[in-house]
Amino acid sequence: TYVVTDACVKCKYTDCVDVCPVDCFHEGPNFLVIDPDECIDCTLCVAECPVEAIYAEDDVPADMQQYIPLNAELAQLWPVIVEKKDPLPDHEEWAGVQGKFDQVER
Ligand code: SF4
Ligand code: F3S
């Protein structure tokens, strides 16, 4: 499966959702996650993300491992998103910031 990680938090560009053939992205207030039970590993979303937030599960960097269970958990709680929308208002300010795990809103 593929995993959405830190760079997405407080940005949420949503380019990724347009290309997913199985509609497995789920949307929260300031972050998106991939449902690991639905993702078919097509890889299409990886190149779409302007901040390179999406990794194959096996390639998630060591300091972002906590995003793997977070994607699985929140995919069960949040609704599916299938169409691109505007990014969050402060996306430019937050795009280069790291360590945003604690700022994911539920
Ligand atoms: Fe969807 Fe493919 Fe990305 Fe998985 S790898 S989330 S199936 S676009
Ligand atoms: Fe997030 Fe990148 Fe998609 S910022 S919403 S993973 S395009």
Side-chain angles (χ1 to χ4, degrees):
T1 188
Y2 280 69
V3 180
V4 187
T5 66
D6 204 70
C8 181
V9 179
K10 296 177 84 93
C11 294
K12 209 167 75 171
Y13 288 102
T14 71
D15 302 74
C16 52
V17 305
D18 268 347
V19 299
C20 183
V22 294
D23 296 342
C24 62
F25 283 94
H26 294 247
E27 183 186 20
N30 66 357
F31 185 50
L32 250 58
V33 295
I34 292 169
D35 185 342
D37 294 332
E38 299 292 333
C39 176
I40 57 170
D41 295 342
C42 76
T43 77
L44 290 175
C45 57
V46 174
E48 295 301 315
C49 178
V51 290
E52 300 180 358
I54 305 174
Y55 290 86
E57 182 173 7
D58 289 347
D59 297 333
V60 174
D63 61 352
M64 293 197 255
Q65 288 290 309
Q66 54 198 344
Y67 281 96
I68 298 173
L70 187 70
N71 273 241
E73 177 194 349
L74 296 179
Q76 302 302 313
L77 303 176
W78 288 348
V80 168
I81 172 173
V82 296
E83 284 193 358
K84 177 174 167 53
K85 58 165 72 172
D86 289 339
L88 292 174
D90 295 333
H91 67 94
E92 288 180 353
E93 179 185 336
W94 289 101
V97 178
Q98 298 181 344
K100 297 180 281 186
F101 185 84
D102 291 338
Q103 301 191 56
V104 173
E105 293 173 27
R106 293 177 176 247

